[in-house]
Amino acid sequence: MADDNPHRTDSPHVEDPGRNDNSSRPDDAFVRVDGTRLATGDGSTVVLRGVGLGGWMNMENFITGYPGTESQQRRALRATLGPEGYERFFDRFLTVFFADADAGYLASLGLNSVRVPFNYRHFEDDDRPFELKEEGFRRLDQVVDACARHGIHTILDLHAVPGYQNQHWHSDNPTHWAHFWTHRHFQDRVVHLWEALADRYRDNPWVAGYNPVNEPADAVGEAIGPFYRRLEAAIRAVDPRHVLFLDGNRYSTQFDQLGDPLPNTVYTAHDYTLPGFVDGGPYPGTSRGEYVDRDVLERTFLARTAYMRQTGTPIWVGEFGPVYTGDPERDTQRRQLLADQLEIYAEHGASWALWTYKDIGLQGLVYADPDGPYLRRIAPVLEKKARLGVDSWGSLDTGVRHVMEPIERLFAEEFPDFQPYPWGQHGWVRGLVRHILLAEPMVGDFARCFEGLTPEQAEALADSFAFDRCVRRGPLAELLRDEPGRHRVDG
C-alpha cells in the first residue's frame, strides 16, 4: 500500500446466537457524561478523537463514485449484475471496506474512536416494517469488534432513516422532502430499531454511545424535540448506561428547538467551513465573499457550540473536514485549516470525528487506488459527473452554468421572497437541477460500467476498497498523529 505526497415483531429483540456481549467488563469502563466532559466510571476524562466511517453501511455518491442515492445505485447494479453478482459484490465490499487492518491503522495514529454511519435498510425492509434482519446487526458487530480489538470506541450513527430525516442524498433521499417528521409510522420504526440496537449493545463498553439521527432537518421545527424525548425514554428503558449523541436540527447546526438537555447526553455540532468546500478559496482568505482565518474559525465554532456551553454539556464535533483538490498549494492550505480546527477543539476540550475515513480520493484519510480496477472501470462516469456538477458534495457547476444561470435568474425575478428550507433559493435550485434532475439518469450510466462482469469478477472488483489495495493520505495522517494540531503545516 502506498502513501501519497502532496474511505414488526412483537419484541424489539433479535435472536442472536453470537450476541455482542462484553458484560464481564466493569461498569466503570463505560463512557458517560460528567458535567462538561466525557469520562469513565473511575473519573478519567475521555476525549474522543477519530473518524467517521462514511460510505460503508451508509453509502454516499461522492465517497464511492455512483450518482444519485444508494438505493438507486443498488437497484441499478442488481439489474446489471444479476442477483448473484450483486450479492457477491456488496458482500465483499462490506467485508473489506473496514476490517481489522483499518482499525489497526487508526490505532497506530493514536485515534480512539470511530463514528459508524448505517442505513436502516440493513436492518429492515420497507415491505416488512418492524421485522428486523440479523444480517444488519452482524455487519455492525464487524466494525464494533474490530475497533474494540484495537482499543477504539465506536459511536453508532443511524445516518438514513425510513421516510428521510433530511432533504439530501446522504439520507438515501431521492427527493427534496423529509417525510420522517410528518409520519408517525416512520418514527415508530426508528424507535423500534433503536430499542433493538440498545438491547444488543447495552453491555458493550467499547460502544461509546448512540447517535440516533444524523443531521435532522425538521423544516417546521416542532417534531424534533418531542421525538428526541420519546426516543431517549425508549432507549433508556432498555439501556440506561450508554451516552446519547443528539444532532441539532438543520443539519446539526440549530439547538434552540431541543429544550433542556437530557441526562447523559451529548449534543453534536457539525463544523464544516467555507474554505474547506470544493469551491472554497485560499486559507486564510475569502470564500463565497467571506474572509476566513483562524479567528473566524473559532468564532464560528463557538457560535455552533453555544448551546453546549450554556447547558454545561460536553462538546463533540460529529463531522468536519475539508476536501482535497490535488493542487499541492491548496491542499497545504486545507491541511492548515484542519490543523487550526483541531487546535481550537483541543483548547475547548472538544471531542471530534473527522469526515471521512475512506473514499475514492476527495476527503479520505485512506482512498481507493486511482489506478486500481474499480476506479478505472467507473472513470467515464466520474468524468461526466464532474462535467455536469452532479454530486452535491465535491463538484462544481462550471460545466452547466448555461443551464443554471437562466433558472437562477428566473427564480430571483419571479420569486424573490422564496427562501425554502434549509439552504434558501440557490440551494433549492442547485439540489433539484444538478443533484436530482441530472443525477438520476446517470445512475444507468454507472450501472453500464459493470456490464459483462461475472459474479466472481464483481466480487474481485470490491477488493479495490481493501486496506492493502488503498492509498494513504500521508500528510493528513501525520497531522492527525500530531493532534491537537500545529500552528504551521509543511507543504
Side-chain angles (χ1 to χ4, degrees):
M1 184 176 62
D3 285 301
D4 71 357
N5 293 311
H7 198 272
R8 173 145 149 158
T9 57
D10 292 332
S11 167
H13 310 308
V14 177
E15 291 301 322
D16 175 22
R19 179 186 171 90
N20 188 291
D21 190 349
N22 285 270
S23 56
S24 62
R25 292 177 62 84
D27 279 359
D28 65 9
F30 284 79
V31 175
R32 62 181 175 84
V33 171
D34 180 17
T36 60
R37 66 182 186 135
L38 290 169
T40 52
D42 65 4
S44 300
T45 296
V46 176
V47 177
L48 298 174
R49 301 165 52 250
V51 296
L53 187 54
W56 182 53
M57 284 186 76
N58 187 76
M59 300 183 75
E60 296 193 38
N61 48 36
F62 76 93
I63 294 180
T64 53
Y66 64 87
T69 69
E70 177 178 357
S71 292
Q72 290 170 335
Q73 172 213 204
R74 283 178 170 270
R75 283 193 298 269
L77 287 184
R78 180 180 286 276
T80 298
L81 294 173
E84 183 184 356
Y86 170 90
E87 293 295 338
R88 290 180 66 166
F89 174 80
F90 280 102
D91 181 70
R92 186 64 177 166
F93 173 85
L94 289 167
T95 299
V96 303
F97 193 90
F98 193 92
D100 200 75
D102 298 279
Y105 178 58
L106 294 176
S108 76
L109 300 179
L111 301 179
N112 66 1
S113 60
V114 173
R115 180 179 181 238
V116 188
F118 50 90
N119 190 317
Y120 80 95
R121 297 179 191 275
H122 286 282
F123 301 88
E124 182 188 63
D125 295 322
D126 287 332
D127 60 353
R128 303 187 72 175
F130 301 103
E131 295 185 21
L132 300 182
K133 301 186 291 187
E134 171 60 21
E135 63 194 85
F137 294 89
R138 283 198 297 266
R139 283 294 180 192
L140 201 52
D141 287 347
Q142 173 186 323
V143 69
V144 169
D145 293 344
C147 287
R149 285 192 294 272
H150 291 274
I152 295 173
H153 284 97
T154 44
I155 300 97
L156 308 185
D157 157 34
L158 183 54
H159 218 76
V161 309
Y164 324 118
Q165 77 275 14
N166 61 44
Q167 295 80 12
H168 288 94
W169 80 100
H170 46 82
S171 60
D172 201 12
N173 189 348
T175 76
H176 62 298
W177 299 106
H179 297 296
F180 176 79
W181 304 106
T182 55
H183 289 261
R184 174 73 180 218
H185 168 78
F186 295 139
Q187 297 170 21
D188 290 347
R189 287 164 63 183
V190 166
V191 170
H192 181 257
L193 174 56
W194 272 112
E195 287 173 332
L197 289 162
D199 181 62
R200 190 174 188 98
Y201 296 105
R202 62 187 178 190
D203 296 319
N204 191 331
W206 286 111
V207 174
Y210 310 135
N211 188 190
V213 181
N214 174 67
E215 293 194 342
D218 172 11
V220 178
E222 296 177 354
I224 186 170
F227 175 73
Y228 271 169
R229 294 181 183 278
R230 176 192 174 197
L231 185 60
E232 186 264 352
I235 291 174
R236 296 294 188 221
V238 178
D239 175 2
R241 288 187 292 192
H242 276 99
V243 174
L244 293 186
F245 295 84
L246 297 184
D247 284 19
N249 199 19
R250 201 170 182 265
Y251 295 70
S252 210
T253 64
Q254 182 181 9
F255 298 88
D256 60 337
Q257 297 158 334
L258 304 188
D260 294 332
L262 294 165
N264 204 30
T265 297
V266 172
Y267 292 84
T268 306
H270 290 185
D271 195 26
Y272 293 107
T273 64
L274 291 177
F277 291 127
V278 67
D279 61 348
Y283 177 80
T286 300
S287 296
R288 300 182 190 175
E290 181 178 335
Y291 182 81
V292 180
D293 58 11
R294 189 191 185 283
D295 289 342
V296 173
L297 292 182
E298 185 164 24
R299 287 198 298 272
T300 301
F301 166 79
L302 292 173
R304 289 174 175 172
T305 58
Y307 175 88
M308 297 72 161
R309 290 189 309 284
Q310 290 165 2
T311 57
T313 52
I315 298 172
W316 181 54
V317 180
E319 289 184 23
F320 71 110
V323 303
Y324 298 97
T325 65
D327 176 80
E329 182 178 357
R330 293 184 69 190
D331 286 352
T332 297
Q333 292 174 355
R334 289 175 184 224
R335 289 194 301 274
Q336 184 62 60
L337 166 70
L338 179 61
D340 286 350
Q341 287 186 286
L342 291 172
E343 189 174 69
I344 290 165
Y345 300 162
E347 290 173 359
H348 293 276
S351 295
W352 48 265
L354 178 72
W355 194 263
T356 184
Y357 169 61
K358 185 181 285 187
D359 65 0
I360 59 172
L362 187 69
Q363 281 188 285
L365 176 60
V366 170
Y367 56 91
D369 186 348
D371 294 322
Y374 179 80
L375 285 178
R376 288 202 310 268
R377 182 167 287 273
I378 69 168
V381 168
L382 296 180
E383 183 280 327
K384 189 172 183 178
K385 285 205 301 175
R387 176 163 47 86
L388 299 182
V390 163
D391 284 351
S392 181
W393 194 261
S395 66
L396 299 169
D397 67 357
T398 309
V400 290
R401 286 308 301 160
H402 62 291
V403 174
M404 302 300 296
E405 285 178 0
I407 298 175
E408 291 166 357
R409 186 167 57 251
L410 174 67
F411 270 82
E413 293 171 354
E414 298 290 347
F415 310 107
D417 299 324
F418 179 62
Q419 296 298 327
Y421 185 93
W423 310 125
Q425 186 178 114
H426 181 74
W428 190 81
V429 170
R430 179 183 63 219
L432 283 172
V433 177
R434 290 167 52 199
H435 314 317
I436 296 177
L437 180 65
L438 295 178
E440 188 166 344
M442 276 196 65
V443 176
D445 293 346
F446 181 79
R448 282 188 287 275
C449 293
F450 295 77
E451 286 180 343
L453 288 178
T454 66
E456 293 79 10
Q457 290 170 329
E459 182 176 23
L461 195 63
D463 278 331
S464 294
F465 289 95
F467 183 74
D468 62 359
R469 305 281 185 90
C470 289
V471 180
R472 290 174 292 192
R473 200 180 296 276
L476 176 58
E478 290 308 307
L479 175 59
L480 296 179
R481 196 195 305 272
D482 289 348
E483 193 277 334
R486 298 178 291 185
H487 290 288
R488 182 179 63 85
V489 170
D490 297 328

